[in-house]
């Protein structure tokens, strides 16, 4: 077992099983050995590749949606352009360039803000953005965002925010936790807490023994805080991730290392640990703050935003190798067998202030 694994095992030996949510938070954000605090996750040489790392077209189209939402609200003064969970900073770099080119009005009056929980990734983002024009500012959480109409994007943020899991045992749903087996290895166990029946998906009482349901209060809390700001001060939010429309039954906790699935209990902190996003729950959290929420697949969103036209334009000035790379990027971002269908896009905004193609609940 690695160093973080030994520390987790010692904690469990002393205090009893650790909930899946606490285990996930520890693996991802432990200050000394956490995945996002110590590793370089992104790109071909890392563990996984995200949409902004595939092509600049992704950030360009996201920026245009946020700009259109700003215009739909009457182009309010002093907007905030924010990204939460910016990874390497590539999406922000592409958005800033696009906004400066398409709307000097917006770019000159906006504050550009990054919300990042990992100090190490913040340093990576500072390097990426060093030569990228406007002054950028960083905050650790959404609570500290500056005032003003908030235009915020989060790509593959929510899948990295911990979920709670509950496992069916008899007629009860007990909170799933990580404990130790006789040999001192980490194993899943049924913990002490149980889930309120009102939170169970339909059909849960017929589900087989050992079935798992996931709920993510930490994700809803982040969404609620963002939505509250947008409801009070204007703006819009766009969140892209892989997920489903819940509530549903199923264990989606997964570890990915070097572009392959790994065992989530093996080598804690060495692999990315995520769980699929329940978009209905996030939309519900935004609606509870009075916003509208519109959902579609990433493929439909990017195509409607003009991905093919943009690819054609970029390809027109490119050589054959580069044209092939652009075609491949389009397929990866929007193809139904790739990110096009599994990934969804959730837009949240005040009534009537969305932008095409995310306009209505
Ligand atoms: N958006 C990037 C990176 C996705 S990885 C991309 O598409 O390439 C997830 C990112 O979210 C990392 O930067 C991680 O440190 C950050 N993160 C996770 N939880 C967070 C939280 N609660 N607040 C802010 N950032 C968070």
């Amino acid at each position: 077992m690695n160093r973080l694994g030994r520390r987790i095992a010692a904690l469990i030996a002393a205090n009893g099983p650790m909930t899946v949510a606490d285990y996930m938070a520890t693996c991802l954000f432990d200050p000394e050995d956490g995945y996002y605090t110590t590793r370089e996750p992104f790109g071909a040489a890392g563990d996984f590749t995200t949409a902004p790392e595939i092509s600049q077209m992704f950030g360009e189209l996201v920026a245009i949606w946020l700009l259109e939402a700003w215009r739909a609200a009457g182009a309010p003064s002093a907007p905030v352009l924010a990204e939460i969970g910016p990874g390497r900073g590539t999406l922000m770099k592409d958005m800033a360039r696009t906004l400066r080119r398409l709307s000097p009005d917006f770019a000159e009056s906006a504050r550009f803000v990054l919300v990042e929980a990992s100090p190490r990734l913040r340093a990576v983002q500072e390097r990426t953005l060093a030569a990228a024009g406007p002054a950028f500012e960083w905050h650790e959480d959404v609570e500290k965002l500056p005032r003003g109409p908030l235009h915020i994007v989060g790509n593959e943020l929510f899948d990295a925010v911990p979920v709670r899991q509950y496992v069916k045992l008899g007629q009860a749903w007990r909170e799933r936790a990580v404990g130790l087996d006789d040999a001192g290895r980490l194993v899943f166990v049924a913990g002490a807490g149980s889930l309120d029946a009102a939170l169970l998906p339909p059909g849960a009482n017929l589900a087989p023994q050992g079935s798992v349901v996931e709920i993510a209060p930490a994700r809803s809390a982040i969404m609620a805080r963002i939505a509250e700001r947008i409801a009070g001060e204007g703006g819009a939010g766009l969140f892209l991730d892989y997920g489903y429309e819940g509530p549903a039954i199923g264990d989606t906790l997964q570890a990915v290392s070097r572009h392959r699935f790994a065992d989530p209990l093996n080598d804690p902190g060495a692999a990315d640990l995520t769980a699929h996003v329940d978009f209905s729950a996030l939309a519900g959290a935004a609606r509870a703050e009075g916003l509208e929420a519109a959902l579609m697949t990433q493929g439909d969103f990017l195509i409607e935003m003009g991905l093919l036209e943009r690819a054609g334009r970029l390809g027109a000035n490119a050589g054959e190798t580069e044209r092939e790379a652009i075609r491949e990027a389009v397929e990866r971002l929007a193809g139904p067998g790739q990110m096009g269908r599994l990934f969804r896009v959730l837009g949240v905004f005040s009534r009537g202030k969305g932008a095409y193609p995310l306009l209505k609940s």
Side-chain angles (χ1 to χ4, degrees), residues 29 36 42 50 52 83-87 115-117 121 155-157 222:
F29 281 101
Y36 284 117
F42 311 105
T50 57
E83 180 179 0
I84 176 163
V115 181
E116 174 56 69
L121 285 176
N155 186 60
E156 292 208 38
L157 162 78
I222 293 175

Side-chain angles (χ1 to χ4, degrees), residues 47-278:
D47 295 308
F48 57 93
T49 304
T50 57
E53 304 295 337
I54 291 173
S55 167
Q56 67 181 69
M57 295 184 288
F58 182 80
E60 292 169 349
L61 298 175
V62 165
I64 291 170
W65 190 85
L66 291 171
L67 184 63
E68 289 303 322
W70 176 70
R71 287 179 173 149
S77 61
V80 175
L81 192 280
E83 180 179 0
I84 176 163
R88 273 216 284 236
T90 309
L91 174 55
M92 182 54 97
K93 189 175 91 189
D94 292 335
M95 289 197 299
R97 185 188 63 248
T98 306
L99 291 167
R100 268 203 313 266
R101 202 174 52 218
L102 295 183
S103 178
D105 278 359
F106 180 92
E108 274 153 34
S109 67
R111 281 169 81 170
F112 288 76
V113 181
L114 297 100
V115 181
E116 174 56 69
S118 155
R120 198 191 62 82
L121 285 176
R122 171 185 165 154
V124 173
Q125 292 151 22
E126 283 172 358
R127 282 201 295 280
T128 304
L129 295 167
F136 297 93
E137 42 187 289
W138 275 263
H139 298 286
E140 273 160 35
D141 67 68
V142 283
E143 229 58 82
K144 310 220 174 78
L145 279 167
R147 309 284 311 255
L150 175 63
H151 301 78
I152 185 166
V153 60
N155 186 60
E156 292 208 38
L157 162 78
F158 283 110
D159 67 73
V161 176
V163 287
R164 292 179 168 269
Q165 289 192 324
Y166 293 85
V167 57
K168 187 168 183 180
L169 216 70
Q171 273 312 304
W173 291 81
R174 302 259 303 276
E175 181 151 20
R176 204 177 187 209
V178 178
L180 298 174
D181 69 6
D182 293 341
R185 284 182 302 245
L186 301 179
V187 286
F188 287 114
V189 298
S194 61
L195 183 61
D196 192 278
L199 295 171
L200 286 169
N205 55 346
L206 301 173
Q209 292 297 308
S211 297
V212 169
V213 302
E214 298 176 342
I215 58 165
R219 294 175 179 174
S220 300
I222 293 175
M223 180 55 99
R225 286 203 296 270
I226 292 172
E228 200 182 356
R229 289 286 311 267
I230 293 174
E233 301 186 45
L238 193 67
F239 302 96
L240 307 99
D241 227 307
Y242 47 94
Y244 61 98
E245 288 173 60
I249 293 171
D251 171 11
T252 73
L253 186 70
Q254 66 185 32
V256 168
S257 174
R258 311 256 154 228
H259 301 268
R260 294 207 174 153
F261 290 112
D263 179 346
L265 299 183
N266 212 12
D267 274 347
D272 186 35
L273 206 53
T274 64
H276 289 203
V277 172
D278 177 355

Side-chain angles (χ1 to χ4, degrees), residues 326-349:
I326 293 168
R327 269 196 292 272
E328 204 179 296
V330 167
E331 187 54 33
R332 287 180 75 185
L333 291 173
Q338 306 219 27
M339 298 174 108
R341 200 171 286 156
L342 179 59
F343 277 68
R344 317 263 167 125
V345 187
L346 174 67
V348 303
F349 39 83

